[in-house]
Amino acid sequence: MKKLILLLIIGFGVFSLNAQTKEELEAQKAEKQAEADKYQAEADALQAQIDALPGWRVGAFGTIGGSLSNFNNWYAQGTPNNSSGSIGITFNGYANDIREKYFWRNALTMNFNWVKLDDKDNPADDDSFNPTTDVFNLTSLYGRRLNEKWAVSGLVEYRTTVLNNFNDPGYLDVGVGFTWTPITDLVVVIHPANYNFVFSDNDTVFDSSMGAKVVADYTKKIGAINFKTNLSAFQSYKSSDLSNWTWTNSFSYTLWKMIGVGFDFGLRNNKQEALNFALSQFDPMSGNPMPTFDNVDNDLQTFWTIGLSYSF
């Protein structure tokens, strides 16, 4: 009995010592965490002061997504012997010169995707990677400040495809008006005097015109998160058939060093492009009416890419 009581006393003492040690360690951890939070807050405040200084701000991030597969004698599918793959690349970069009396903001957005499906039983098929997504957008905005939030500005924006039909069509917007910057990372361009130059071999569909240009861009980095959303819209004064808009979004989360996961998606509406595509698919012998601006299906254009991301 004495031995049992002694063992219970020793066990209780060890338990109390461990509990006390754990409590002490947790208290020390809380103390150190409070100090770390304090220093992090001071570092964030200093970074905010650095970001507010006039001068150049340069940055970029992008997404790389892809998959490869190979099947041999996989009879459950329609093409039992095939190799397929998909590769997607997205890039978002900016170089902004922010000064007390003026600003010059430059941005480049690219999104490319290639897909292949090689039917090994068909020697006549195409076994190469073919482009499916092709987006190139370059903008340059200059403004002279009227006050803290408003500026008189001029914008040049160029949009086209690169992998297929370079500059066919291509769009060049040149305009003047005003720019509103209500907060640090949001830029809203309102240009009532804008000319939309359209370059294309098909002059019967594509046409240049005068109109209004509206651009809204929000680019933000919060810790490991990079986010960018951009809406670019042109409203033609000549005809609504010549108007268009594009909305692109990019999101990336850094997991390790500069590498993380990224997601991009975009929406687009352009009736000239819809008609041009419909005419390229039209068969005069089908008996269907020839596509025109009045009867063409102007479906919403979309794309998305998901994969690994890299922040510069």
Side-chain angles (χ1 to χ4, degrees):
M1 179 63 69
K2 293 182 179 179
K3 292 182 179 180
L4 178 60
I5 295 174
L6 181 61
L7 288 174
L8 290 174
I9 293 174
I10 294 174
F12 180 77
V14 171
F15 176 79
S16 300
L17 180 61
N18 289 337
Q20 183 179 9
T21 302
K22 181 180 178 181
E23 292 175 355
E24 291 176 349
L25 291 175
E26 289 179 344
Q28 293 177 17
K29 178 185 175 182
E31 182 180 347
K32 297 297 183 182
Q33 186 63 52
E35 293 180 2
D37 293 342
K38 174 186 175 182
Y39 291 132
Q40 184 62 52
E42 293 177 355
D44 292 342
L46 291 173
Q47 185 61 50
Q49 295 180 33
I50 294 173
D51 294 339
L53 294 174
W56 283 94
R57 295 156 173 78
V58 179
F61 66 97
T63 301
I64 299 176
S67 65
L68 297 173
S69 64
N70 187 81
F71 291 88
N72 291 309
N73 303 322
W74 199 265
Y75 298 116
Q77 61 186 10
T79 308
N81 299 293
N82 75 79
S83 64
S84 63
S86 174
I87 301 173
I89 300 174
T90 300
F91 176 84
N92 297 278
Y94 64 88
N96 302 328
D97 187 14
I98 309 300
R99 305 288 177 172
E100 181 180 356
K101 295 184 179 181
Y102 70 90
F103 57 79
W104 184 25
R105 297 176 177 269
N106 305 276
L108 172 63
T109 298
M110 297 185 294
N111 190 304
F112 304 130
N113 195 81
W114 297 264
V115 173
K116 86 161 185 174
L117 175 60
D118 177 21
D119 183 354
K120 298 177 183 179
D121 297 324
N122 182 6
D125 77 336
D126 188 358
D127 61 354
S128 60
F129 280 89
N130 296 303
T132 55
T133 302
D134 193 356
V135 177
F136 181 91
N137 190 309
L138 178 65
T139 63
S140 183
L141 174 68
Y142 179 83
R144 299 289 298 188
R145 299 187 188 277
L146 299 174
N147 53 44
E148 184 180 354
K149 298 186 182 300
W150 287 93
V152 178
S153 57
L155 172 72
V156 176
E157 181 184 66
Y158 178 66
R159 307 185 310 280
T160 186
T161 55
V162 176
L163 305 178
N164 276 330
N165 305 321
F166 175 71
N167 205 42
D168 183 24
Y171 304 90
L172 177 64
D173 282 290
V174 180
V176 294
F178 300 93
T179 294
W180 180 44
T181 52
I183 57 178
T184 303
D185 303 299
L186 176 61
V187 179
V188 180
V189 179
I190 307 169
H191 285 180
N194 183 93
Y195 199 83
N196 178 238
F197 295 92
V198 183
F199 310 100
S200 175
D201 294 336
N202 191 350
D203 295 335
T204 60
V205 174
F206 294 95
D207 193 12
S208 303
S209 64
M210 192 74 180
K213 183 75 174 181
V214 176
V215 178
D217 184 277
Y218 183 77
T219 304
K220 186 69 174 179
K221 181 176 182 180
I222 306 175
I225 299 174
N226 282 290
F227 177 76
K228 177 181 177 66
T229 181
N230 179 278
L231 173 65
S232 177
F234 171 73
Q235 179 63 49
S236 174
Y237 295 148
K238 184 177 181 179
S239 170
S240 60
D241 294 335
L242 307 180
S243 302
N244 61 80
W245 59 265
T246 303
W247 182 35
T248 57
N249 301 269
S250 297
F251 172 87
S252 71
Y253 181 80
T254 303
L255 299 173
W256 178 71
K257 293 187 177 181
M258 297 293 191
I259 301 174
V261 62
F263 176 70
D264 297 80
F265 75 92
L267 306 175
R268 184 181 180 89
N269 184 282
N270 191 311
K271 202 169 187 178
Q272 295 179 93
E273 293 177 350
L275 178 57
N276 185 59
F277 178 77
L279 288 172
S280 69
Q281 304 296 310
F282 177 66
D283 181 6
M285 305 300 294
S286 65
N288 296 322
M290 178 177 291
T292 65
F293 278 118
D294 294 328
N295 62 21
V296 70
D297 292 328
N298 185 21
D299 297 328
L300 183 66
Q301 305 175 43
T302 67
F303 76 83
W304 62 268
T305 303
I306 188 169
L308 295 177
S309 67
Y310 189 86
S311 301
F312 299 88

